[in-house]
């Protein structure tokens, strides 16, 4: 076989078909801010998930020895406590690790609830015309509500019942994800509805409908895969808002209490101990870095999943 024949028989690797997700990843890597945000987010996740395996200081319990507790309170950074101790002698770095785990868990789970509700309502509203008016008016109603006061009212009214059933910390976790999820789905629903209205008029959907394919199968097999990209972007950006909301609610005293470590409750404790401002800086810095990195990752996903940008 000659060289020319071999070249014809074996096409250049650059002409080989590429997968969609490979193109998305290549486009994502070109977004410098998104890559920096991904690295920062990865470092924070390693810090809060694997850090407690290395740094085993007690983040919650207070030293029962009153004299020792008073000696260890409000200490500056040292080898024994790299970020110092709080007003009752607990290690700030250990609390920061546990608080990050809880705050991130609330953000990701609450946004998963919001994305599920928003996607469901957006699909039903966009595909079934008879449901569109009622569901969109419901969406407008939730958008017109003051969301933070509504979350505070929900946690105040229903938080005690869930705390009695599941315990103080797990009950607070459940009420926060329910309250944040129920008040964060509206933008996802509007995005999904707009995408469904466009996709359901495409030829492959009309062809599936013409041969009698049930609506449930059309939605799950043809429409839903084509609206996942904007849902992923909205979910990524919504995680940052959920983390901020949890921190605000805990800071205002309606979320996790100050004796349990979350970034918001740490801010609440430090607010009443203003003689030592660094105790407020560390959780505030952690919240800022997490929110900023998640927003940059969301921006990178939005550009990478946009077919008008991908491939340039």
């Amino acid at each position: 076989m000659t060289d020319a024949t071999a070249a014809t028989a074996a096409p250049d690797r650059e002409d080989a078909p590429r997968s969609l997700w490979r193109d998305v990843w290549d486009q994502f890597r070109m977004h410098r801010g998104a890559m920096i945000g991904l690295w920062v987010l990865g470092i924070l996740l390693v810090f809060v998930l694997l850090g407690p395996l290395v740094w085993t200081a007690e983040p919650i319990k207070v030293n029962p020895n009153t004299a020792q507790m008073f000696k260890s309170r409000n200490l500056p950074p040292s080898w024994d406590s790299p970020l110092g101790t709080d007003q009752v002698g607990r290690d700030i770095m250990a609390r920061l690790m546990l608080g990050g785990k809880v705050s991130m868990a609330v953000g990701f789970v609450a946004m998963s609830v919001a994305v599920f509700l928003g996607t469901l309502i957006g699909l039903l509203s966009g595909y079934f015309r008879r449901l569109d008016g009622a569901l969109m008016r419901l969406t407008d109603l939730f958008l017109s509500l003051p969301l933070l006061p509504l979350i505070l009212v929900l946690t105040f009214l229903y938080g005690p019942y869930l705390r009695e059933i599941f315990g103080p910390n797990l009950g607070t976790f459940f009420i926060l994800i329910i309250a944040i999820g129920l008040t964060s789905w509206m933008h996802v629903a509007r995005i999904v509805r707009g995408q469904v209205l466009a996709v359901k008029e495409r030829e492959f959907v009309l062809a599936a409908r013409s041969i009698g394919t049930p609506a449930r199968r059309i939605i799950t097999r043809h429409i839903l895969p084509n609206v996942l990209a904007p849902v992923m972007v909205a979910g990524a950006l919504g995680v940052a808002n959920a983390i901020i909301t949890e921190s605000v609610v805990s800071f205002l005293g309606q979320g996790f209490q100050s004796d349990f470590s979350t970034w918001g409750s740490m801010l609440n404790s430090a607010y009443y101990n203003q003689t030592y401002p660094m105790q407020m800086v560390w959780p505030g810095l952690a919240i800022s870095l997490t929110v900023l990195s998640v927003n940059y990752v969301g921006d990178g996903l939005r550009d990478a999943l946009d077919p008008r940008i991908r491939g340039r």
Side-chain angles (χ1 to χ4, degrees), residues 150-207:
L150 179 60
I151 292 173
L152 293 174
V153 170
L154 289 175
T155 56
F156 178 76
L157 292 179
Y158 300 106
Y161 298 104
L162 291 179
R163 293 187 186 101
E164 288 181 5
I165 298 173
F166 299 104
N169 297 326
L170 192 59
T172 302
F173 179 81
F174 283 141
I175 188 60
L176 282 177
I177 64 174
I178 292 171
I180 297 174
L182 288 178
T183 56
S184 305
W185 56 267
M186 295 81 70
H187 295 290
V188 177
R190 284 193 161 187
I191 292 172
V192 172
R193 174 183 176 270
Q195 293 292 318
V196 171
L197 289 174
V199 172
K200 76 174 186 177
E201 301 301 329
R202 301 282 296 274
E203 292 81 0
F204 59 91
V205 176
L206 297 177

Side-chain angles (χ1 to χ4, degrees), residues 229-240:
V231 168
M232 291 172 59
V233 175
L237 295 174
V239 168

Side-chain angles (χ1 to χ4, degrees), residues 242-287:
I243 292 174
I244 290 178
T245 303
E246 182 278 325
S247 301
V248 171
V249 173
S250 295
F251 176 74
L252 295 176
Q254 291 299 319
F256 292 96
Q257 300 304 308
S258 59
D259 59 345
F260 185 74
S261 295
T262 70
W263 290 339
S265 63
M266 290 179 69
L267 286 174
N268 179 275
S269 300
Y271 177 76
Y272 296 101
N273 192 27
Q274 297 181 6
T275 310
Y276 303 92
M278 288 303 296
Q279 295 181 14
M280 185 175 287
V281 169
W282 297 120
L285 181 63
I287 294 171

Side-chain angles (χ1 to χ4, degrees), residues 116 119-120 123-124 127-128 192 196 199-200 204-205 208 213-228:
F116 174 79
T119 303
L120 178 63
L123 285 171
L124 295 176
Y127 191 81
F128 298 104
V192 172
V196 171
V199 172
K200 76 174 186 177
F204 59 91
V205 176
T213 305
R216 177 181 58 83
R217 189 172 180 84
I218 292 176
I219 290 174
T220 56
R221 293 294 298 273
H222 300 290
I223 294 181
L224 183 59
N226 286 280
V227 302
L228 283 181

